Amino acid sequence: MRPPSPLLILLYVTLSKTVKVVSKRGSVDGCTDWSVDYLKYRVLQGEPVRLKCALFYGYIRANYSQAQSVGLSLMWYRSSGLGHSDFEEPISFDGIRMSKEEDAIWFRPAEIQDAGLYSCVLRNSTYCMKVSMSLTVAGE
Ligand SMILES: *[C@@H]1O[C@H](CO)[C@@H](O)[C@H](O)[C@H]1NC(C)=O
Ligand SMILES: *[C@@H]1O[C@H](CO)[C@@H](O)[C@H](O)[C@H]1NC(C)=O
């Protein structure tokens, strides 16, 4: 067998990049992502910190209680690589060290492994808005 031609390799790379972009958009179901210049939180390991969903502070007019009363739900996702890493997973809150309270996440306290990119998503079946915030946890 002959090795694949450089053209084929190029085509393959281009295609897989396209597919990746499509699946990334698809994974948020046409959600409007406002995370261009996202908020950066910085905290010392062992200190408590509250990450507020920035959507309610400058992106949309509603506050959390208004959004809730019209049936929108707020969800949080996390990707552990800083920068726009690909994989987001839902956060499981233990309700003790990490808890979801209204429009925010509390870390009591923050640990090194909490560092990452946090996205809050506000949605119903026809509307979706998303913004991300980064959290850096500095060791002592
Ligand atoms: C949310 O906004 C409404 C209307 O502006 C206001 O009455 C209410 O007090 C606000 N709630 C909070 C928790 O800020
Ligand atoms: C979803 O939320 C938006 C914004 O609040 C609202 O305009 C729309 O009617 C809602 N759609 C449904 C199906 O509730």
Side-chain angles (χ1 to χ4, degrees):
M1 252 176 52
R2 290 188 313 143
S5 79
L7 183 64
L8 272 181
I9 292 174
L10 187 65
L11 188 67
Y12 175 74
V13 170
T14 312
L15 269 180
S16 50
K17 275 196 182 148
T18 311
V19 168
K20 197 169 163 189
V21 169
V22 168
S23 68
K24 196 172 175 188
R25 279 208 193 115
S27 72
V28 290
D29 297 327
C31 207
T32 308
D33 190 347
W34 295 98
S35 326
V36 180
D37 186 19
Y38 49 81
L39 260 168
K40 296 180 176 67
Y41 283 85
R42 211 184 141 74
V43 69
L44 279 176
Q45 174 186 17
E47 300 275 313
V49 66
R50 178 171 61 161
L51 244 76
K52 297 199 268 186
C53 175
L55 279 177
F56 302 107
Y57 304 89
Y59 293 91
I60 59 174
R61 282 173 187 279
N63 60 30
Y64 178 70
S65 15
Q66 289 169 312
Q68 229 189 2
S69 68
V70 298
L72 291 164
S73 56
L74 183 67
M75 279 160 292
W76 287 91
Y77 298 89
R78 168 177 192 247
S79 44
S80 46
L82 284 178
H84 281 277
S85 145
D86 311 290
F87 191 67
E88 288 184 336
E89 49 188 316
I91 299 171
S92 55
F93 297 99
D94 62 15
I96 302 163
R97 194 182 69 83
M98 247 178 112
S99 58
K100 180 182 167 181
E101 295 174 24
E102 306 206 313
D103 62 8
I105 300 182
W106 268 103
F107 298 86
R108 296 184 178 98
E111 302 293 352
I112 294 287
Q113 71 269 16
D114 295 329
L117 197 62
Y118 289 82
S119 309
C120 55
V121 175
L122 185 67
R123 76 184 318 156
N124 62 18
S125 57
T126 56
Y127 170 99
C128 183
M129 291 276 202
K130 168 185 170 175
V131 78
S132 303
M133 288 130 297
S134 74
L135 175 66
T136 309
V137 183
E140 287 160 300

